[in-house]
Amino acid sequence: GTGAADYPTIRIFEEGRMVDEYRGRRVVSEILAEAEQRYDKFRTADDTTEDSALKDFTTSSLAAVTHDMGVNTLVMIEGSEGGCSALSLELESAARAFRKHTNITIGRIAINDCDQFCDDYTKHGLPVLVFFGQADPFFGFKPLPVFYADLRTAPAITRFINRKCRLAEEYVRLPGMRPRAEGEDDSSIPRAGDVDAPDWVFQAAGT
């Protein structure tokens, strides 16, 4: 839920005293926006102490990683005017969670920087998230690209990547992800924000 009476609640304290309750949706971008609106320190804080985990692709660098047989890549293709700051924040949170996994890359590219490479992936509108998986170790070829079609929040994106990259032993978690039951895998019955739509619906990107 999104109301102040829903649980869990998010409360705002100033100098040890509760002054309000957060009433927005439980997504990173909107919580940060609320903080920026209330407090100058969030607007002016220098965030350069830690490099962004979200890659800014060029046409050549995107082509390189998507054709790399040993790399999994999730890329956001956005409009030439940008306007995807909220989704970028969610992707940044997910990218930070996977930083130690050198075979997983999360990034973005503007459509005007994408040349003809992105033509097959933008016919349904912008922004769009496309996942390029690494090559199958047995057959030796990369799977077809998959359009990400779940909730555009960091926990949902993180769970999607866990499943796609088969991270059973190194399962990455973010706040907001429900616990997995014992023996459950990520291809189990979908629940909102847990798994992506069936691959066969979205894989035929070139058709």
Side-chain angles (χ1 to χ4, degrees), residues 1-18:
T2 59
D6 294 332
Y7 291 91
T9 59
I10 300 176
R11 295 177 175 177
I12 301 167
F13 288 79
E14 294 179 359
E15 298 180 349
R17 181 174 58 90
M18 193 189 84

Side-chain angles (χ1 to χ4, degrees), residues 132-168:
F132 300 85
Q134 70 181 37
D136 184 282
F138 181 78
F139 294 103
F141 56 82
K142 289 175 76 74
L144 291 172
V146 177
F147 287 102
Y148 175 78
D150 202 347
L151 299 179
R152 295 185 171 189
T153 63
I157 292 168
T158 298
R159 184 173 172 88
F160 168 83
I161 295 173
N162 277 321
R163 185 170 72 83
K164 283 298 180 187
C165 299
R166 298 179 175 86
L167 299 180

